[in-house]
Amino acid sequence: MKIEPFEGGRVRVTLKQSEMTALGLSYEELLLGGEGLQKALGALLWQLQEKTGLHGVGQRVLIEATLGESGGCELVLSGLHEPSRYRIKEGQLVPRLFWFAGLPQLVQGCKAVFTHMSHRIYRSSLYYRGGYILSVTPIDGPRAGAAQLLGEFGGYLGRGELLEELVCEHAKSIRCGDAIDAVSRYL
């Protein structure tokens, strides 16, 4: 196996026929895909990570395959990168989700936040699925006082855009964008 890394997170891998067989790769698998191809490429990516330090974890990796002259093949992998040495900081605008069993707890929590820190809320949305789910995006990031205040009235479900999207997909949307303001004013 000949490995040639070059700029832009790309690597050219030249395999002989015997190396393709050892990996479980065949021309049919390269053309049609399947479980065998996934296992073979997983093993190949593991070897590349050990030899070059580059990996494709969490990214899409484009693989271009061409037939080799002596029955092997040449693969060019794009989208590989070096592992990050630094922790990525959480963005400021991260939604936090809370669950309220009943309307009285929801109204109390919303009124408390509206009274004390409505100016610190970027966005809030309300959903219903067996209870009320309030998504709050505070502008003060991890030190979110609004999140601590809401925790006194409801249960904390978690944080993040993926969780919010999951709730949005599976729960009935009641109010998007300004739920805390609307609940505080009208209830």
Side-chain angles (χ1 to χ4, degrees), residues 14-77:
T14 307
L15 297 171
K16 298 176 186 171
Q17 180 64 41
S18 59
E19 294 167 329
M20 285 180 63
T21 305
L23 282 170
L25 270 177
S26 67
Y27 294 123
E28 294 81 23
E29 287 283 332
L30 284 172
L31 290 173
L32 303 174
E35 279 188 38
L37 180 63
Q38 288 178 351
K39 289 179 184 177
L41 290 177
L44 180 65
L45 284 171
W46 184 260
Q47 290 179 19
L48 284 175
Q49 181 177 346
E50 288 180 344
K51 292 181 181 177
T52 66
L54 299 173
H55 65 86
V57 174
Q59 289 190 339
R60 290 180 183 234
V61 177
L62 173 66
I63 302 172
E64 302 171 60
T66 55
L67 300 177
E69 296 177 13
S70 61
C73 73
E74 183 178 278
L75 304 173
V76 177
L77 293 91

Tab-separated table of all heavy atoms in Angstrom, residues 14-77:
chain	number	residue	atom	x	y	z
A	14	THR	N	-2.546	3.927	-3.193
A	14	THR	CA	-2.409	2.989	-4.300
A	14	THR	C	-2.363	1.582	-3.715
A	14	THR	O	-1.505	1.279	-2.883
A	14	THR	CB	-1.120	3.266	-5.111
A	14	THR	OG1	-1.121	4.649	-5.496
A	14	THR	CG2	-1.049	2.404	-6.348
A	15	LEU	N	-3.301	0.738	-4.131
A	15	LEU	CA	-3.397	-0.626	-3.627
A	15	LEU	C	-3.096	-1.631	-4.728
A	15	LEU	O	-3.561	-1.478	-5.864
A	15	LEU	CB	-4.816	-0.896	-3.096
A	15	LEU	CG	-5.287	-0.057	-1.911
A	15	LEU	CD1	-6.770	-0.290	-1.673
A	15	LEU	CD2	-4.502	-0.406	-0.673
A	16	LYS	N	-2.339	-2.670	-4.377
A	16	LYS	CA	-2.129	-3.792	-5.284
A	16	LYS	C	-3.331	-4.719	-5.160
A	16	LYS	O	-4.110	-4.626	-4.212
A	16	LYS	CB	-0.848	-4.546	-4.920
A	16	LYS	CG	0.397	-3.711	-5.027
A	16	LYS	CD	1.592	-4.504	-4.556
A	16	LYS	CE	2.825	-3.614	-4.515
A	16	LYS	NZ	3.943	-4.275	-3.869
A	17	GLN	N	-3.463	-5.646	-6.093
A	17	GLN	CA	-4.579	-6.587	-6.071
A	17	GLN	C	-4.592	-7.392	-4.774
A	17	GLN	O	-5.632	-7.600	-4.172
A	17	GLN	CB	-4.511	-7.526	-7.290
A	17	GLN	CG	-5.643	-8.535	-7.352
A	17	GLN	CD	-7.010	-7.884	-7.513
A	17	GLN	OE1	-7.165	-6.942	-8.260
A	17	GLN	NE2	-7.998	-8.385	-6.798
A	18	SER	N	-3.417	-7.826	-4.307
A	18	SER	CA	-3.336	-8.614	-3.074
A	18	SER	C	-3.780	-7.785	-1.860
A	18	SER	O	-4.418	-8.305	-0.937
A	18	SER	CB	-1.916	-9.134	-2.860
A	18	SER	OG	-0.999	-8.053	-2.784
A	19	GLU	N	-3.453	-6.495	-1.849
A	19	GLU	CA	-3.869	-5.630	-0.753
A	19	GLU	C	-5.374	-5.387	-0.781
A	19	GLU	O	-6.020	-5.307	0.266
A	19	GLU	CB	-3.110	-4.298	-0.821
A	19	GLU	CG	-1.626	-4.463	-0.573
A	19	GLU	CD	-0.818	-3.227	-0.933
A	19	GLU	OE1	-1.208	-2.483	-1.865
A	19	GLU	OE2	0.209	-3.024	-0.280
A	20	MET	N	-5.923	-5.282	-1.987
A	20	MET	CA	-7.378	-5.141	-2.110
A	20	MET	C	-8.076	-6.377	-1.552
A	20	MET	O	-9.056	-6.272	-0.816
A	20	MET	CB	-7.783	-4.941	-3.577
A	20	MET	CG	-7.488	-3.568	-4.109
A	20	MET	SD	-7.966	-3.378	-5.840
A	20	MET	CE	-9.733	-3.607	-5.767
A	21	THR	N	-7.552	-7.548	-1.872
A	21	THR	CA	-8.127	-8.795	-1.384
A	21	THR	C	-8.031	-8.873	0.144
A	21	THR	O	-8.980	-9.282	0.808
A	21	THR	CB	-7.405	-10.001	-2.023
A	21	THR	OG1	-7.460	-9.856	-3.441
A	21	THR	CG2	-8.043	-11.306	-1.617
A	22	ALA	N	-6.886	-8.461	0.694
A	22	ALA	CA	-6.710	-8.494	2.155
A	22	ALA	C	-7.706	-7.569	2.861
A	22	ALA	O	-8.187	-7.881	3.949
A	22	ALA	CB	-5.277	-8.104	2.511
A	23	LEU	N	-8.036	-6.441	2.230
A	23	LEU	CA	-9.004	-5.512	2.799
A	23	LEU	C	-10.454	-5.945	2.544
A	23	LEU	O	-11.380	-5.416	3.142
A	23	LEU	CB	-8.816	-4.110	2.220
A	23	LEU	CG	-7.674	-3.283	2.780
A	23	LEU	CD1	-7.464	-2.027	1.947
A	23	LEU	CD2	-7.934	-2.907	4.225
A	24	GLY	N	-10.632	-6.875	1.637
A	24	GLY	CA	-11.984	-7.309	1.278
A	24	GLY	C	-12.607	-6.419	0.217
A	24	GLY	O	-13.828	-6.368	0.077
A	25	LEU	N	-11.772	-5.712	-0.545
A	25	LEU	CA	-12.246	-4.832	-1.610
A	25	LEU	C	-12.244	-5.556	-2.951
A	25	LEU	O	-11.329	-6.330	-3.244
A	25	LEU	CB	-11.333	-3.612	-1.744
A	25	LEU	CG	-11.655	-2.383	-0.937
A	25	LEU	CD1	-10.583	-1.323	-1.152
A	25	LEU	CD2	-12.999	-1.820	-1.290
A	26	SER	N	-13.240	-5.300	-3.741
A	26	SER	CA	-13.275	-5.805	-5.112
A	26	SER	C	-13.777	-4.682	-6.007
A	26	SER	O	-14.339	-3.693	-5.535
A	26	SER	CB	-14.204	-7.015	-5.202
A	26	SER	OG	-15.544	-6.627	-4.966
A	27	TYR	N	-13.598	-4.831	-7.311
A	27	TYR	CA	-14.073	-3.810	-8.240
A	27	TYR	C	-15.595	-3.694	-8.176
A	27	TYR	O	-16.149	-2.611	-8.277
A	27	TYR	CB	-13.634	-4.128	-9.668
A	27	TYR	CG	-12.141	-4.058	-9.853
A	27	TYR	CD1	-11.420	-5.135	-10.320
A	27	TYR	CD2	-11.446	-2.883	-9.548
A	27	TYR	CE1	-10.055	-5.068	-10.470
A	27	TYR	CE2	-10.080	-2.815	-9.698
A	27	TYR	CZ	-9.389	-3.909	-10.168
A	27	TYR	OH	-8.039	-3.833	-10.313
A	28	GLU	N	-16.265	-4.829	-7.992
A	28	GLU	CA	-17.728	-4.809	-7.896
A	28	GLU	C	-18.182	-4.002	-6.683
A	28	GLU	O	-19.135	-3.234	-6.754
A	28	GLU	CB	-18.289	-6.235	-7.812
A	28	GLU	CG	-18.089	-7.060	-9.069
A	28	GLU	CD	-16.681	-7.659	-9.175
A	28	GLU	OE1	-16.001	-7.817	-8.128
A	28	GLU	OE2	-16.255	-7.938	-10.295
A	29	GLU	N	-17.498	-4.203	-5.551
A	29	GLU	CA	-17.831	-3.456	-4.345
A	29	GLU	C	-17.600	-1.960	-4.559
A	29	GLU	O	-18.385	-1.129	-4.095
A	29	GLU	CB	-17.001	-3.936	-3.150
A	29	GLU	CG	-17.395	-5.273	-2.609
A	29	GLU	CD	-18.656	-5.216	-1.765
A	29	GLU	OE1	-18.950	-4.171	-1.170
A	29	GLU	OE2	-19.347	-6.237	-1.712
A	30	LEU	N	-16.509	-1.602	-5.245
A	30	LEU	CA	-16.227	-0.196	-5.488
A	30	LEU	C	-17.307	0.445	-6.360
A	30	LEU	O	-17.659	1.606	-6.177
A	30	LEU	CB	-14.860	-0.029	-6.161
A	30	LEU	CG	-13.648	-0.198	-5.251
A	30	LEU	CD1	-12.367	-0.217	-6.065
A	30	LEU	CD2	-13.596	0.904	-4.212
A	31	LEU	N	-17.824	-0.323	-7.312
A	31	LEU	CA	-18.853	0.206	-8.210
A	31	LEU	C	-20.237	0.222	-7.586
A	31	LEU	O	-20.993	1.175	-7.739
A	31	LEU	CB	-18.902	-0.612	-9.508
A	31	LEU	CG	-17.717	-0.459	-10.448
A	31	LEU	CD1	-17.818	-1.443	-11.597
A	31	LEU	CD2	-17.650	0.962	-10.971
A	32	LEU	N	-20.602	-0.842	-6.879
A	32	LEU	CA	-21.969	-1.003	-6.406
A	32	LEU	C	-22.163	-0.674	-4.933
A	32	LEU	O	-23.284	-0.462	-4.481
A	32	LEU	CB	-22.440	-2.436	-6.674
A	32	LEU	CG	-22.376	-2.878	-8.146
A	32	LEU	CD1	-22.724	-4.342	-8.260
A	32	LEU	CD2	-23.287	-2.024	-8.990
A	33	GLY	N	-21.106	-0.653	-4.149
A	33	GLY	CA	-21.227	-0.389	-2.719
A	33	GLY	C	-21.686	-1.622	-1.972
A	33	GLY	O	-21.684	-2.730	-2.491
A	34	GLY	N	-22.084	-1.436	-0.716
A	34	GLY	CA	-22.550	-2.544	0.105
A	34	GLY	C	-21.804	-2.612	1.419
A	34	GLY	O	-20.938	-1.798	1.729
A	35	GLU	N	-22.169	-3.625	2.222
A	35	GLU	CA	-21.553	-3.775	3.544
A	35	GLU	C	-20.060	-4.060	3.447
A	35	GLU	O	-19.280	-3.584	4.262
A	35	GLU	CB	-22.245	-4.901	4.315
A	35	GLU	CG	-23.530	-4.481	4.961
A	35	GLU	CD	-24.068	-5.576	5.876
A	35	GLU	OE1	-23.274	-6.236	6.554
A	35	GLU	OE2	-25.292	-5.744	5.880
A	36	GLY	N	-19.673	-4.861	2.475
A	36	GLY	CA	-18.257	-5.186	2.318
A	36	GLY	C	-17.418	-3.946	2.069
A	36	GLY	O	-16.314	-3.810	2.600
A	37	LEU	N	-17.950	-3.030	1.265
A	37	LEU	CA	-17.231	-1.792	0.980
A	37	LEU	C	-17.115	-0.931	2.240
A	37	LEU	O	-16.060	-0.365	2.506
A	37	LEU	CB	-17.940	-1.009	-0.131
A	37	LEU	CG	-17.293	0.314	-0.526
A	37	LEU	CD1	-15.901	0.083	-1.090
A	37	LEU	CD2	-18.159	1.054	-1.516
A	38	GLN	N	-18.178	-0.842	3.016
A	38	GLN	CA	-18.134	-0.053	4.235
A	38	GLN	C	-17.086	-0.587	5.200
A	38	GLN	O	-16.323	0.177	5.791
A	38	GLN	CB	-19.504	-0.039	4.913
A	38	GLN	CG	-20.535	0.789	4.181
A	38	GLN	CD	-21.891	0.751	4.862
A	38	GLN	OE1	-22.115	-0.018	5.787
A	38	GLN	NE2	-22.795	1.588	4.400
A	39	LYS	N	-17.035	-1.903	5.366
A	39	LYS	CA	-16.047	-2.502	6.269
A	39	LYS	C	-14.631	-2.275	5.754
A	39	LYS	O	-13.729	-1.927	6.515
A	39	LYS	CB	-16.310	-3.995	6.419
A	39	LYS	CG	-17.553	-4.299	7.223
A	39	LYS	CD	-17.787	-5.788	7.317
A	39	LYS	CE	-19.085	-6.087	8.051
A	39	LYS	NZ	-19.382	-7.510	8.097
A	40	ALA	N	-14.440	-2.443	4.454
A	40	ALA	CA	-13.107	-2.278	3.867
A	40	ALA	C	-12.634	-0.832	3.985
A	40	ALA	O	-11.483	-0.574	4.345
A	40	ALA	CB	-13.122	-2.719	2.403
A	41	LEU	N	-13.527	0.113	3.696
A	41	LEU	CA	-13.134	1.515	3.791
A	41	LEU	C	-12.920	1.934	5.248
A	41	LEU	O	-12.054	2.767	5.531
A	41	LEU	CB	-14.171	2.404	3.112
A	41	LEU	CG	-14.221	2.282	1.587
A	41	LEU	CD1	-15.332	3.149	1.023
A	41	LEU	CD2	-12.891	2.633	0.950
A	42	GLY	N	-13.689	1.366	6.159
A	42	GLY	CA	-13.466	1.635	7.577
A	42	GLY	C	-12.080	1.178	8.003
A	42	GLY	O	-11.363	1.890	8.713
A	43	ALA	N	-11.690	-0.026	7.571
A	43	ALA	CA	-10.354	-0.540	7.896
A	43	ALA	C	-9.275	0.321	7.246
A	43	ALA	O	-8.240	0.616	7.872
A	43	ALA	CB	-10.226	-1.990	7.423
A	44	LEU	N	-9.520	0.756	6.019
A	44	LEU	CA	-8.552	1.599	5.312
A	44	LEU	C	-8.408	2.952	6.009
A	44	LEU	O	-7.287	3.435	6.207
A	44	LEU	CB	-8.982	1.792	3.858
A	44	LEU	CG	-8.071	2.655	3.002
A	44	LEU	CD1	-6.713	1.995	2.839
A	44	LEU	CD2	-8.699	2.903	1.645
A	45	LEU	N	-9.511	3.563	6.411
A	45	LEU	CA	-9.449	4.844	7.113
A	45	LEU	C	-8.714	4.717	8.447
A	45	LEU	O	-7.979	5.616	8.858
A	45	LEU	CB	-10.859	5.413	7.336
A	45	LEU	CG	-11.518	6.019	6.108
A	45	LEU	CD1	-12.975	6.333	6.389
A	45	LEU	CD2	-10.784	7.263	5.641
A	46	TRP	N	-8.901	3.587	9.107
A	46	TRP	CA	-8.194	3.343	10.365
A	46	TRP	C	-6.685	3.291	10.125
A	46	TRP	O	-5.902	3.885	10.868
A	46	TRP	CB	-8.702	2.042	10.985
A	46	TRP	CG	-8.092	1.770	12.323
A	46	TRP	CD1	-7.069	0.920	12.597
A	46	TRP	CD2	-8.445	2.363	13.576
A	46	TRP	NE1	-6.768	0.932	13.937
A	46	TRP	CE2	-7.612	1.827	14.560
A	46	TRP	CE3	-9.392	3.296	13.950
A	46	TRP	CZ2	-7.683	2.192	15.900
A	46	TRP	CZ3	-9.462	3.657	15.285
A	46	TRP	CH2	-8.616	3.101	16.232
A	47	GLN	N	-6.271	2.574	9.076
A	47	GLN	CA	-4.846	2.488	8.740
A	47	GLN	C	-4.288	3.856	8.360
A	47	GLN	O	-3.174	4.207	8.744
A	47	GLN	CB	-4.627	1.490	7.610
A	47	GLN	CG	-4.853	0.059	8.007
A	47	GLN	CD	-4.653	-0.901	6.838
A	47	GLN	OE1	-4.026	-0.565	5.843
A	47	GLN	NE2	-5.201	-2.095	6.966
A	48	LEU	N	-5.077	4.631	7.610
A	48	LEU	CA	-4.628	5.971	7.222
A	48	LEU	C	-4.442	6.869	8.439
A	48	LEU	O	-3.495	7.641	8.508
A	48	LEU	CB	-5.629	6.620	6.258
A	48	LEU	CG	-5.613	6.121	4.831
A	48	LEU	CD1	-6.725	6.769	4.033
A	48	LEU	CD2	-4.270	6.416	4.187
A	49	GLN	N	-5.342	6.759	9.391
A	49	GLN	CA	-5.236	7.575	10.591
A	49	GLN	C	-3.968	7.219	11.355
A	49	GLN	O	-3.263	8.093	11.849
A	49	GLN	CB	-6.462	7.398	11.480
A	49	GLN	CG	-6.413	8.256	12.729
A	49	GLN	CD	-7.664	8.133	13.575
A	49	GLN	OE1	-8.671	7.617	13.133
A	49	GLN	NE2	-7.582	8.613	14.802
A	50	GLU	N	-3.657	5.920	11.447
A	50	GLU	CA	-2.448	5.497	12.164
A	50	GLU	C	-1.181	5.962	11.456
A	50	GLU	O	-0.221	6.355	12.100
A	50	GLU	CB	-2.435	3.980	12.313
A	50	GLU	CG	-3.447	3.461	13.310
A	50	GLU	CD	-3.399	1.940	13.423
A	50	GLU	OE1	-2.812	1.283	12.542
A	50	GLU	OE2	-3.957	1.423	14.403
A	51	LYS	N	-1.185	5.936	10.114
A	51	LYS	CA	0.034	6.246	9.370
A	51	LYS	C	0.220	7.728	9.094
A	51	LYS	O	1.349	8.199	9.009
A	51	LYS	CB	0.048	5.468	8.056
A	51	LYS	CG	0.199	3.981	8.277
A	51	LYS	CD	0.231	3.208	6.988
A	51	LYS	CE	0.365	1.713	7.286
A	51	LYS	NZ	0.341	0.899	6.085
A	52	THR	N	-0.872	8.498	8.921
A	52	THR	CA	-0.735	9.904	8.542
A	52	THR	C	-1.208	10.870	9.620
A	52	THR	O	-0.876	12.049	9.571
A	52	THR	CB	-1.539	10.212	7.264
A	52	THR	OG1	-2.933	10.071	7.541
A	52	THR	CG2	-1.125	9.327	6.116
A	53	GLY	N	-2.005	10.390	10.574
A	53	GLY	CA	-2.573	11.283	11.589
A	53	GLY	C	-3.835	11.977	11.115
A	53	GLY	O	-4.475	12.693	11.867
A	54	LEU	N	-4.217	11.805	9.861
A	54	LEU	CA	-5.431	12.410	9.323
A	54	LEU	C	-6.610	11.475	9.555
A	54	LEU	O	-6.461	10.264	9.540
A	54	LEU	CB	-5.291	12.671	7.821
A	54	LEU	CG	-4.183	13.625	7.402
A	54	LEU	CD1	-4.051	13.646	5.888
A	54	LEU	CD2	-4.454	15.021	7.922
A	55	HIS	N	-7.788	12.044	9.765
A	55	HIS	CA	-8.977	11.211	9.915
A	55	HIS	C	-10.185	11.928	9.345
A	55	HIS	O	-10.144	13.116	9.057
A	55	HIS	CB	-9.216	10.824	11.379
A	55	HIS	CG	-9.538	11.981	12.263
A	55	HIS	ND1	-10.811	12.467	12.412
A	55	HIS	CD2	-8.751	12.762	13.034
A	55	HIS	CE1	-10.800	13.484	13.240
A	55	HIS	NE2	-9.561	13.694	13.640
A	56	GLY	N	-11.277	11.209	9.185
A	56	GLY	CA	-12.497	11.762	8.622
A	56	GLY	C	-13.658	11.709	9.579
A	56	GLY	O	-14.806	11.747	9.159
A	57	VAL	N	-13.382	11.641	10.866
A	57	VAL	CA	-14.447	11.536	11.866
A	57	VAL	C	-15.282	12.810	11.858
A	57	VAL	O	-14.754	13.906	11.923
A	57	VAL	CB	-13.846	11.288	13.267
A	57	VAL	CG1	-14.924	11.314	14.319
A	57	VAL	CG2	-13.098	9.977	13.287
A	58	GLY	N	-16.602	12.649	11.760
A	58	GLY	CA	-17.509	13.777	11.811
A	58	GLY	C	-17.586	14.590	10.539
A	58	GLY	O	-18.160	15.657	10.526
A	59	GLN	N	-16.999	14.098	9.468
A	59	GLN	CA	-17.029	14.814	8.199
A	59	GLN	C	-17.375	13.864	7.074
A	59	GLN	O	-17.258	12.653	7.205
A	59	GLN	CB	-15.660	15.420	7.882
A	59	GLN	CG	-15.284	16.570	8.755
A	59	GLN	CD	-14.035	17.245	8.211
A	59	GLN	OE1	-13.264	16.661	7.461
A	59	GLN	NE2	-13.829	18.482	8.590
A	60	ARG	N	-17.761	14.452	5.975
A	60	ARG	CA	-17.950	13.657	4.771
A	60	ARG	C	-16.599	13.498	4.092
A	60	ARG	O	-15.842	14.452	3.984
A	60	ARG	CB	-18.902	14.349	3.809
A	60	ARG	CG	-20.309	14.361	4.310
A	60	ARG	CD	-21.199	15.044	3.318
A	60	ARG	NE	-22.518	15.104	3.865
A	60	ARG	CZ	-23.580	14.659	3.241
A	60	ARG	NH1	-23.488	14.169	2.042
A	60	ARG	NH2	-24.766	14.730	3.809
A	61	VAL	N	-16.316	12.299	3.656
A	61	VAL	CA	-15.069	12.020	2.965
A	61	VAL	C	-15.420	11.586	1.550
A	61	VAL	O	-16.184	10.643	1.354
A	61	VAL	CB	-14.266	10.908	3.684
A	61	VAL	CG1	-13.008	10.570	2.908
A	61	VAL	CG2	-13.924	11.338	5.099
A	62	LEU	N	-14.893	12.305	0.571
A	62	LEU	CA	-15.110	11.963	-0.828
A	62	LEU	C	-14.018	10.992	-1.251
A	62	LEU	O	-12.835	11.236	-1.022
A	62	LEU	CB	-15.059	13.219	-1.696
A	62	LEU	CG	-15.116	12.991	-3.203
A	62	LEU	CD1	-16.473	12.423	-3.604
A	62	LEU	CD2	-14.832	14.269	-3.949
A	63	ILE	N	-14.427	9.887	-1.848
A	63	ILE	CA	-13.464	8.881	-2.285
A	63	ILE	C	-13.603	8.693	-3.791
A	63	ILE	O	-14.669	8.314	-4.287
A	63	ILE	CB	-13.685	7.537	-1.564
A	63	ILE	CG1	-13.573	7.734	-0.056
A	63	ILE	CG2	-12.695	6.493	-2.055
A	63	ILE	CD1	-13.948	6.535	0.764
A	64	GLU	N	-12.517	8.963	-4.516
A	64	GLU	CA	-12.484	8.768	-5.957
A	64	GLU	C	-11.657	7.509	-6.222
A	64	GLU	O	-10.535	7.394	-5.744
A	64	GLU	CB	-11.841	9.968	-6.646
A	64	GLU	CG	-12.549	11.280	-6.361
A	64	GLU	CD	-11.761	12.461	-6.877
A	64	GLU	OE1	-11.518	12.537	-8.099
A	64	GLU	OE2	-11.380	13.292	-6.037
A	65	ALA	N	-12.219	6.580	-6.969
A	65	ALA	CA	-11.533	5.316	-7.236
A	65	ALA	C	-11.273	5.181	-8.732
A	65	ALA	O	-12.155	5.428	-9.552
A	65	ALA	CB	-12.379	4.150	-6.741
A	66	THR	N	-10.047	4.779	-9.086
A	66	THR	CA	-9.700	4.465	-10.474
A	66	THR	C	-8.986	3.123	-10.493
A	66	THR	O	-8.339	2.736	-9.523
A	66	THR	CB	-8.786	5.551	-11.092
A	66	THR	OG1	-7.637	5.712	-10.267
A	66	THR	CG2	-9.502	6.879	-11.205
A	67	LEU	N	-9.132	2.431	-11.584
A	67	LEU	CA	-8.482	1.134	-11.722
A	67	LEU	C	-6.987	1.320	-11.903
A	67	LEU	O	-6.543	2.203	-12.617
A	67	LEU	CB	-9.055	0.370	-12.913
A	67	LEU	CG	-10.553	0.067	-12.841
A	67	LEU	CD1	-10.995	-0.633	-14.122
A	67	LEU	CD2	-10.866	-0.785	-11.643
A	68	GLY	N	-6.230	0.461	-11.246
A	68	GLY	CA	-4.780	0.500	-11.373
A	68	GLY	C	-4.314	-0.299	-12.581
A	68	GLY	O	-5.073	-1.052	-13.187
A	69	GLU	N	-3.037	-0.149	-12.936
A	69	GLU	CA	-2.486	-0.825	-14.110
A	69	GLU	C	-2.295	-2.316	-13.893
A	69	GLU	O	-2.515	-3.111	-14.796
A	69	GLU	CB	-1.146	-0.183	-14.482
A	69	GLU	CG	-1.280	1.255	-14.910
A	69	GLU	CD	0.076	1.872	-15.192
A	69	GLU	OE1	1.075	1.147	-15.292
A	69	GLU	OE2	0.120	3.104	-15.289
A	70	SER	N	-1.929	-2.732	-12.700
A	70	SER	CA	-1.617	-4.138	-12.468
A	70	SER	C	-2.718	-4.859	-11.695
A	70	SER	O	-2.441	-5.738	-10.893
A	70	SER	CB	-0.277	-4.244	-11.721
A	70	SER	OG	-0.392	-3.590	-10.476
A	71	GLY	N	-3.952	-4.461	-11.910
A	71	GLY	CA	-5.061	-5.140	-11.250
A	71	GLY	C	-5.424	-4.559	-9.907
A	71	GLY	O	-6.377	-4.996	-9.285
A	72	GLY	N	-4.731	-3.554	-9.465
A	72	GLY	CA	-5.056	-2.905	-8.200
A	72	GLY	C	-5.959	-1.708	-8.442
A	72	GLY	O	-6.673	-1.641	-9.439
A	73	CYS	N	-5.899	-0.763	-7.536
A	73	CYS	CA	-6.689	0.455	-7.717
A	73	CYS	C	-6.001	1.623	-7.032
A	73	CYS	O	-5.104	1.450	-6.203
A	73	CYS	CB	-8.104	0.278	-7.195
A	73	CYS	SG	-8.234	0.233	-5.404
A	74	GLU	N	-6.438	2.806	-7.411
A	74	GLU	CA	-5.947	4.024	-6.787
A	74	GLU	C	-7.143	4.763	-6.217
A	74	GLU	O	-8.132	4.986	-6.909
A	74	GLU	CB	-5.240	4.896	-7.826
A	74	GLU	CG	-4.635	6.142	-7.232
A	74	GLU	CD	-3.901	6.958	-8.287
A	74	GLU	OE1	-2.745	6.614	-8.589
A	74	GLU	OE2	-4.507	7.919	-8.791
A	75	LEU	N	-7.052	5.123	-4.936
A	75	LEU	CA	-8.113	5.846	-4.259
A	75	LEU	C	-7.581	7.215	-3.851
A	75	LEU	O	-6.472	7.321	-3.325
A	75	LEU	CB	-8.566	5.103	-2.999
A	75	LEU	CG	-9.037	3.660	-3.162
A	75	LEU	CD1	-9.270	3.030	-1.805
A	75	LEU	CD2	-10.303	3.622	-3.985
A	76	VAL	N	-8.366	8.250	-4.100
A	76	VAL	CA	-8.032	9.586	-3.632
A	76	VAL	C	-9.125	9.983	-2.651
A	76	VAL	O	-10.299	10.046	-3.003
A	76	VAL	CB	-7.933	10.603	-4.790
A	76	VAL	CG1	-7.657	11.995	-4.250
A	76	VAL	CG2	-6.854	10.188	-5.777
A	77	LEU	N	-8.727	10.209	-1.404
A	77	LEU	CA	-9.661	10.554	-0.349
A	77	LEU	C	-9.531	12.039	-0.038
A	77	LEU	O	-8.426	12.523	0.224
A	77	LEU	CB	-9.379	9.740	0.916
A	77	LEU	CG	-9.644	8.236	0.782
A	77	LEU	CD1	-8.392	7.510	0.333
A	77	LEU	CD2	-10.142	7.687	2.066
